[in-house]
Amino acid sequence: MASNKDRIMEAAMDLFHDHGFQGTGLEDILTSSGVCKSNFYYHFKSKEELGLKVIERKVQEMRQSVMEPSLGNAQLSPKQRVLALFERMLAFCEEHECRRGCFFGNLALELSDSSEELRKPLSRFFRELEAEVESCLQEGKRQGELLLQGLTPVELATPIVSLLQGGMLLTKTHKDTRALRDSIKVLTVCMG
């Protein structure tokens, strides 16, 4: 059986993903988790502290379920690894009927100007993702697998993460995976 802290975290992760951080009230979290207010404050000083812990946990989940099996999978070629990242996110979008979008992208759009404390771990996550993509691109360039259209891995890593985020945003907005599928086609051309 999950602890009260875990129940709060799980409820908050789902609610923040579906309704945003600011669109989720403490009462929503308490109702969804089945935990009383005093128990919430036993584990968390504030909703913002809970937000930090939720982001930390989601980063760990993202590493394990998406980044390691794609970007970190040494059995795939560098090009296949980067494509696998996009394909995993496409599968996520399809699984959720294009409804949820990227947890990190959603929160970054919502919180980057309103909470410096929550913006920082989101920024660190995206920097980590960019570094992982860059590492794959560097390896692919060294091996001669990737041409990168004359760009360096450093120059292309951030635009690739932007392409993924933009594709996910438009997939959520249009309720259609075409934008993310088209992003995969563009990615293939960019990597060469």
Side-chain angles (χ1 to χ4, degrees), residues 12-192:
M13 277 191 275
D14 284 339
L15 290 166
F16 293 166
H17 202 155
D18 290 341
H19 305 290
F21 181 81
Q22 294 169 339
T24 300
L26 181 57
E27 287 303 319
D28 300 320
I29 296 166
L30 298 177
T31 299
S32 182
S33 66
V35 173
C36 65
K37 191 181 279 191
S38 62
N39 223 311
F40 175 89
Y41 285 110
Y42 175 78
H43 296 290
F44 304 99
K45 293 177 192 153
S46 65
K47 184 178 151 192
E48 195 159 71
E49 181 185 351
L50 171 63
L52 287 170
K53 297 296 183 191
V54 164
I55 291 169
E56 287 173 16
R57 184 175 285 183
K58 288 297 278 188
V59 167
Q60 288 299 334
E61 287 180 6
M62 183 71 164
R63 284 181 186 136
Q64 292 170 353
S65 67
V66 176
M67 293 168 68
E68 290 171 11
S70 61
L71 298 173
N73 186 347
Q75 294 179 350
L76 299 175
S77 74
K79 184 176 186 174
Q80 289 171 326
R81 284 185 233 156
V82 178
L83 287 169
L85 169 67
F86 277 67
E87 289 162 0
R88 283 184 169 272
M89 297 313 292
L90 175 61
F92 173 84
C93 289
E94 290 173 336
E95 178 185 333
H96 295 281
E97 300 171 347
C98 304
R99 188 178 62 79
R100 296 188 102 186
C102 174
F103 177 85
F104 302 101
N106 293 350
L107 286 185
L109 285 170
E110 176 188 1
L111 299 172
S112 290
D113 291 331
S114 62
S115 173
E116 188 65 10
E117 190 174 357
L118 294 174
R119 182 199 63 78
K120 287 178 181 178
L122 294 167
S123 178
R124 280 193 301 272
F125 166 74
F126 283 117
R127 295 272 187 226
E128 177 184 340
L129 184 57
E130 291 164 10
E132 292 289 326
V133 168
E134 180 186 335
S135 178
C136 286
L137 297 177
Q138 286 174 343
E139 183 181 339
K141 188 148 175 104
R142 269 194 315 275
Q143 294 173 355
E145 179 192 23
L146 302 176
L147 300 175
L148 308 182
Q149 305 305 319
L151 297 169
T152 66
V154 172
E155 292 169 327
L156 200 50
T158 299
I160 286 175
V161 172
S162 299
L163 185 63
L164 176 63
Q165 283 300 302
M168 292 195 69
L169 175 70
L170 292 177
T171 290
K172 179 181 177 182
T173 301
H174 299 314
K175 303 294 185 224
D176 183 315
T177 60
R178 193 182 108 222
L180 196 48
R181 290 180 187 284
D182 288 348
S183 294
I184 293 170
K185 290 177 190 172
V186 170
L187 174 67
T188 303
V189 171
C190 288
M191 290 194 295

